[in-house]
Amino acid sequence: MDFLTVLQVLDSTVRLATPLLLACLAGLFSERSGIFDIGLEGKMLAAAFLSAAVAFTTGSVWLGLLAGTLASIALSAIHGLASITFRGNQLISGVAINFLAAGTTVVVAQSWFAQGGRTPSLPPEGRFQSITLPFAETLQGVPVFGPIYHELISGHSILVYAGLLAVPLTWWVLFRTRFGLRLRAVGEAPEAVDTAGISVVGLRFAAVAIAGLLCGLAGAYLATGLQAGFVKDMTAGRGFIALAALIFAKWRPWHALGACLLFGFLQAIALRYQNIDLGVFTLPVQVMDAAPYILTVVILAGFVGRAIPPRAGGEPYVKER
């Protein structure tokens, strides 16, 4: 494997890791506030469909992004209403959102476009295009740094850069702001936050809304950045992989970036190398395709060390009278 091939694999890794990273950060905000959200998959799927549908209809990728984000936030509001206001089971609410999105997107897509539950292929103006960073072409001939800057750092869509910038921003919000301190406290000891006169319900709804926003960006990127349209179940379990990455990262932003890049790398290898020759035998492509999901099972089985979630996670808060 030469240097250029390595850069191309890493470039694919960043692209494939972006929706995982955005969804993982969404789960991070929600679960840090004490609201478990396994509905990431459904919110991504709804955002992917509506962003592709609106982008195709209007010819504007930005209107598509707005529509997809609003769809995800609306599902987050439903999850918050069920989990926070009515104190329902958070896991059941998340599962319901996943089923709702999986069925509704296909039915509505068939009704609108009559193409078997998918949207038509998006035109160039309906997709996020690659951005060439300053001096990328000029520095291309510089040894080592030039190809890295041209092939790996430059040439991504704006949502890829937004996803990467969301990591330090998330860290700063959670660990360097008053809002982040209160949010983390709500996930650990909501009664203490309530005693201080701070609204537990308000903080948890804010966290759920942020999760909806990030899931909307992830879903919109899938349909208008990574691919050129919506197809049935195009999230392909990414929401659950993002949850596994979140557990792997132990609810920390920078560790989440590393975990998502690991999953993205496995997907990039599977896409680029259909059959891997190990000398003694050939590793079929199906094994590499299954690698991210196998790693998910390994992580959830606890082989990466004990991961302790927020203490108040999954429990509705009942205000004492």
Side-chain angles (χ1 to χ4, degrees):
M1 184 183 298
D2 58 19
F3 183 58
L4 184 59
T5 302
V6 171
L7 290 180
Q8 291 173 347
V9 170
L10 294 178
D11 178 76
S12 298
T13 297
V14 173
R15 297 174 191 271
L16 292 168
T18 297
L20 297 177
L21 178 60
L22 289 168
C24 186
L25 294 177
L28 177 62
F29 272 102
S30 182
E31 296 195 8
R32 277 286 190 173
S33 73
I35 303 298
F36 288 162
D37 190 357
I38 62 172
L40 300 177
E41 180 88 358
K43 287 183 282 189
M44 290 172 65
L45 196 61
F49 164 68
L50 205 58
S51 63
V54 173
F56 174 79
T57 304
T58 64
S60 171
V61 67
W62 293 105
L63 288 178
L65 175 64
L66 176 62
T69 303
L70 290 177
S72 179
I73 292 176
L75 289 179
S76 285
I78 294 174
H79 180 56
L81 191 66
S83 303
I84 303 171
T85 304
F86 296 114
R87 302 168 189 159
N89 187 292
Q90 298 172 10
L91 301 181
I92 294 176
S93 174
V95 170
I97 287 174
N98 288 336
F99 282 126
L100 176 66
T104 303
T105 52
V106 175
V107 171
V108 176
Q110 176 63 21
S111 175
W112 287 0
F113 303 106
Q115 294 193 8
R118 59 183 298 165
T119 63
S121 182
L122 297 180
E125 61 272 15
R127 298 189 61 197
F128 283 103
Q129 302 299 319
S130 299
I131 299 174
T132 301
L133 297 180
F135 308 111
E137 299 295 337
T138 305
L139 297 175
Q140 186 176 2
V142 177
V144 183
F145 174 76
I148 291 176
Y149 184 66
H150 182 269
E151 298 290 338
L152 182 58
I153 300 177
S154 178
H156 298 289
S157 72
I158 190 171
L159 289 183
V160 174
Y161 296 115
L164 294 174
L165 288 175
V167 177
L169 181 61
T170 298
W171 174 85
W172 180 77
V173 168
L174 286 177
F175 298 100
R176 290 295 183 269
T177 66
R178 181 179 299 178
F179 171 76
L181 174 62
R182 291 174 174 177
L183 190 71
R184 289 183 288 123
V186 164
E188 296 291 340
E191 65 282 351
V193 175
D194 193 15
T195 303
I198 302 168
S199 173
V200 173
V201 171
L203 281 171
R204 287 187 167 178
F205 264 110
V208 168
I210 294 172
L213 172 64
L214 292 171
C215 274
L217 296 177
Y221 173 72
L222 279 176
T224 61
L226 196 61
Q227 298 184 35
F230 172 84
V231 296
K232 178 184 177 182
D233 296 330
M234 71 181 305
T235 48
R238 284 182 173 89
F240 300 108
I241 293 177
L243 286 175
L246 181 60
I247 296 172
F248 190 10
K250 299 181 180 178
W251 294 270
R252 290 174 290 185
W254 289 106
H255 294 72
L257 174 61
C260 291
L261 287 175
L262 173 61
F263 282 108
F265 177 73
L266 293 175
Q267 291 179 339
I269 291 293
L271 289 175
R272 185 168 186 86
Y273 299 100
Q274 299 300 306
N275 294 286
I276 300 178
D277 187 3
L278 299 179
V280 180
F281 62 93
T282 299
L283 195 65
V285 65
Q286 289 82 2
V287 174
M288 293 307 301
D289 285 336
Y293 306 98
I294 295 173
L295 183 59
T296 300
V297 173
V298 170
I299 289 172
L300 295 179
F303 290 103
V304 295
R306 188 180 180 187
I308 302 176
R311 285 187 297 175
E315 296 294 331
Y317 177 66
V318 180
K319 186 179 179 68
E320 295 183 1
R321 298 294 182 182

